[in-house]
Amino acid sequence: MGTQIRYELTEAQANLSNDLAIQFKRDIDNTNNGSIETRKRYHTALENRFAKFLASEFRLKNINNISKKHVYAYVGFLQAQGKSAGYLVTELAAIRFWRKHSNCKNKLPENKQLDLEKREVGKYNRGLLDSELTKMIEVAKKGDRRDIVFGVYIAYYFGLRKNELVTVRIWQLEEADANNQLHIPRGKGGRKRDVPVDTHEQSLVLKEILRYAKSKGKKSSDYLFCDNHKHSVKKEKDSITNWMSNHIDEILDPDRKLMVEKGKKARAEGGYGWHSLRHTYAQRTEKRLIACGMSLKQARKEVSERLGHGRPQVLKTYED
């Protein structure tokens, strides 16, 4: 299901695919709509996948000639590859984003016309077991990856997204240690939020990381994980992403699917990564808040705010 699609292109098809990718890039680069991360995902979908498909299957030369038949064929191709409904919806979102900001006049089919399976958001529990977290830390320490160790701690104990994680600065951690609030100045969609520091474990993590940062001569304005060079944030993000991809199979318990409480969600077969730590944070925090006297509704609202979501209903995706 998660296997990357490999296209066997001739030299002529590869050249054509590159030309199509340049055309897609031109159209998307001409708009500031959507977040930087959203546009980056759309770039990848269009330039690395859709362009190759159009070149190999249709020998298309001009993206403004994309029509219904191309979209129908692409959806059929992805379904034949075993791609999930969620994967297809994301690919189609990229195509529609491009269409909205292009000179293409052809009307493209809506999702309901494409016979897509219903997207089962939140069907599986993507949180990690305590034993898997311990294993993750052990593997990172063995490889002398202090950035992974601290990254896991911050994602697990504070629920940060990967983008928020790699851009954490020392001043945020210093203020969190002093004021019991970890401030996120720019989360997804530009949202600001404050994550409460209300457990002993969170305080210990902050103090340990700050001691390390001080030993390395870090200043308040410095990034925790990156230096101040132009591409350091992207480099660090790619590095921790690759580390997780390379080690996740080693970390996951082979019997994890059997470790499900009665009435709880089944554990997914794949799709685990940095975001799984965020799922785990949400599950642990919701249970703790309920144990402290909050109702389920109140706990969901509170955790939703800590995660940076505008609607508590979104939290159903994270629950176990």
Side-chain angles (χ1 to χ4, degrees), residues 29-260:
D29 284 350
N30 283 335
T31 178
N32 289 322
N33 288 353
S35 68
I36 294 175
E37 285 301 312
T38 296
R39 294 200 301 275
K40 182 178 178 180
R41 287 199 304 273
Y42 291 166
H43 270 300
T44 301
L46 294 166
E47 298 168 28
N48 293 357
R49 296 190 288 272
F50 194 39
K52 291 178 180 178
F53 173 80
L54 294 172
S56 62
E57 299 297 323
F58 291 96
R59 309 295 195 275
L60 191 74
K61 296 181 179 180
N62 188 334
I63 60 175
N64 289 328
N65 292 329
I66 291 173
S67 64
K68 288 183 179 180
K69 72 175 183 179
H70 301 109
V71 177
Y72 276 111
Y74 188 50
V75 168
F77 169 74
L78 294 177
Q79 289 173 329
Q81 297 291 323
K83 295 303 180 183
S84 68
Y87 184 98
L88 267 65
V89 168
T90 301
E91 294 293 287
L92 290 167
I95 294 171
R96 293 204 175 89
F97 182 87
W98 157 77
R99 167 64 179 77
K100 182 179 179 181
H101 301 96
S102 72
N103 292 320
C104 179
K105 304 301 181 185
N106 297 325
K107 187 175 181 180
L108 303 183
E110 299 296 326
N111 284 6
K112 60 184 179 182
Q113 299 173 291
L114 292 166
D115 192 28
L116 301 180
E117 294 180 8
K118 185 177 180 181
R119 190 178 186 184
E120 298 179 305
V121 177
K123 178 180 178 180
Y124 296 104
N125 177 4
R126 297 192 182 278
L128 297 171
L129 300 167
D130 289 344
S131 59
E132 292 170 338
L133 177 75
T134 300
K135 179 71 171 179
M136 193 177 291
I137 297 298
E138 288 177 355
V139 172
K141 286 182 176 179
K142 185 177 180 180
D144 197 26
R145 289 296 301 267
R146 188 66 66 98
D147 58 332
I148 300 294
V149 174
F150 288 157
V152 169
Y153 283 155
I154 294 174
Y156 181 80
Y157 286 107
F158 298 92
L160 269 62
R161 298 179 176 91
K162 185 163 54 178
N163 289 334
E164 299 165 345
L165 179 66
V166 297
T167 55
V168 162
R169 294 185 185 270
I170 301 302
W171 68 262
Q172 291 172 258
L173 303 178
E174 290 173 335
E175 288 190 359
D177 186 43
N179 304 323
N180 295 324
Q181 294 276 357
L182 177 59
H183 181 63
I184 310 301
R186 187 175 178 81
K188 187 175 182 179
R191 294 191 186 97
K192 299 178 182 179
R193 74 180 189 280
D194 292 297
V195 181
V197 180
D198 54 0
T199 70
H200 183 58
E201 291 84 358
Q202 287 174 308
S203 296
L204 290 178
V205 164
L206 287 172
K207 294 182 188 304
E208 180 181 350
I209 295 175
L210 286 171
R211 278 196 298 269
Y212 174 79
K214 185 177 180 179
S215 72
K216 294 297 181 181
K218 292 272 188 178
K219 301 188 295 292
S220 294
S221 59
D222 289 338
Y223 288 117
L224 172 61
F225 299 114
C226 311
D227 56 34
N228 293 318
H229 292 125
K230 183 177 180 180
H231 300 294
S232 63
V233 170
K234 181 182 183 303
K235 182 178 178 181
E236 177 64 20
K237 183 180 175 182
D238 290 343
S239 177
I240 68 171
T241 298
N242 292 335
W243 184 93
M244 187 67 79
S245 297
N246 292 335
H247 293 90
I248 191 65
D249 290 339
E250 175 186 358
I251 291 164
L252 294 179
D253 191 311
D255 298 322
R256 68 191 321 276
K257 291 182 69 176
L258 303 176
M259 303 176 191
V260 180

